[in-house]
């Protein structure tokens, strides 16, 4: 149990860094970590992936909220790119979370890995992510992107326990935003995904009753992750904006590759 707590605490620190630098909110780190811990401790089984996704969403509520406040104070948020996109993301997130409770754990793991693979491929092969010609002002979001795109982002992000940053960051990059601003905007756009997902997973009738759980949400694992992430968010905000744009975008894709390898190594 001590090893599990230490592992979660350590990766919670990493989650804090990725939340500020990449707008992840923690999902791409916490899902594999929580799933791995549950698979080798006292609670393995078909629900491990659902618990990992649900716990990730709960952690993301706090992480993304704290990072949003930090980014707002530093003046990196642009209202036109946050609202009303966030409202449609919330709508899709509610549906996506509910759908995920009906999907088997193996299928959910495969979907998570496939999502990562598609995203990595898109970032590497399609122009406009690794390097972008910054436009002044950047392009605005179209109505179709806000409505249908926002709903789709929420649907996929909440279903897989990620904040949607892997869709919102490339989207904003291709509108001409620098990496620091695109990742900053991912935090407030992750909040509706996290809140909707947490509520659905916490109240899901398909969740088995277990000590220390609220529905599918593992409260102990979530607390350990937050103990590591919150202090790190406060420290990581000091280096945001100092990372060169090309290095920032390359590191973003590299982290996704590492997470995909870890998931495959765990038997996805």
């Amino acid at each position: 149990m001590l090893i599990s707590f230490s592992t979660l605490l350590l990766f919670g620190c990493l989650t804090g860094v990725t939340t500020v630098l990449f707008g992840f909110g923690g999902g791409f780190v916490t899902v594999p970590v929580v799933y791995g811990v549950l698979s080798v401790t006292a609670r393995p089984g078909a629900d491990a992936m659902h618990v990992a996704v649900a716990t990730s969403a709960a952690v993301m509520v706090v992480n993304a909220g704290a990072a949003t406040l930090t980014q707002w104070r530093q003046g990196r948020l642009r209202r036109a790119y946050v609202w009303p996109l966030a409202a449609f993301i919330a709508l899709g997130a509610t549906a996506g979370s509910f759908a995920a409770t009906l999907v088997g754990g193996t299928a959910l793991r495969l979907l998570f890995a496939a999502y990562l693979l598609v995203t990595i491929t898109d970032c590497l092969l399609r122009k406009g992510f690794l390097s972008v010609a910054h436009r002044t002002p950047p392009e605005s979001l179209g109505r179709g992107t806000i409505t249908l795109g926002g709903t789709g982002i929420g649907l996929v992000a909440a279903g897989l326990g990620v904040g949607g940053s892997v869709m919102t960051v490339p989207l904003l990059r291709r509108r001409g935003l620098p990496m620091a601003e695109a990742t900053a905007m991912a935090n407030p756009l992750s909040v509706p995904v996290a809140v909707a997902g947490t509520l659905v997973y916490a109240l899901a009738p398909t969740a088995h009753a277990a000590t220390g759980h609220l529905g599918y949400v593992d409260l102990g694992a979530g607390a350990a992750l937050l103990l590591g992430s919150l202090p790190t968010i406060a420290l990581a905000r000091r280096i945001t904006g100092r990372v060169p744009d090309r290095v920032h975008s390359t590191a973003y894709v590299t982290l996704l590759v590492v997470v995909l390898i870890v998931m495959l190594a765990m038997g996805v």
Side-chain angles (χ1 to χ4, degrees), residues 24-108:
F24 284 168
F28 281 106
V29 176
T30 56
V31 170
V33 169
V34 174
Y35 173 75
V37 168
L38 293 178
S39 296
V40 298
T41 55
R43 294 186 296 276
D47 281 344
M49 190 63 183
H50 286 97
V51 172
V53 170
T55 304
S56 168
V59 169
M60 208 183 309
V61 172
V62 182
N63 281 350
T68 295
L69 182 60
T70 294
Q71 305 287 13
W72 175 70
R73 286 175 174 171
Q74 294 178 336
R76 291 198 178 93
L77 301 184
R78 300 192 187 198
R79 184 184 181 281
Y81 294 99
V82 175
W83 187 263
L85 181 61
F88 288 95
I89 288 177
L91 179 65
T94 302
S97 301
F98 178 74
T101 65
L102 306 177
V103 177
T106 299
L108 202 58

Side-chain angles (χ1 to χ4, degrees), residues 184-256:
M185 237 80 71
N187 285 304
L189 292 174
S190 293
V191 172
V193 173
V195 171
T198 300
L199 290 175
V200 171
Y201 291 125
L203 302 175
T206 53
H208 299 294
T211 304
H213 281 217
L214 181 60
Y216 282 113
V217 179
D218 187 323
L219 299 176
L225 289 163
L226 289 172
L227 280 174
S229 67
L230 290 177
T232 313
I233 287 174
L235 293 174
R237 64 184 176 85
R238 299 179 181 179
I239 62 174
T240 306
R242 299 181 184 179
V243 182
D245 191 79
R246 178 76 183 204
V247 173
H248 201 166
S249 60
T250 302
Y252 184 95
V253 178
T254 301
L255 180 58
L256 294 185

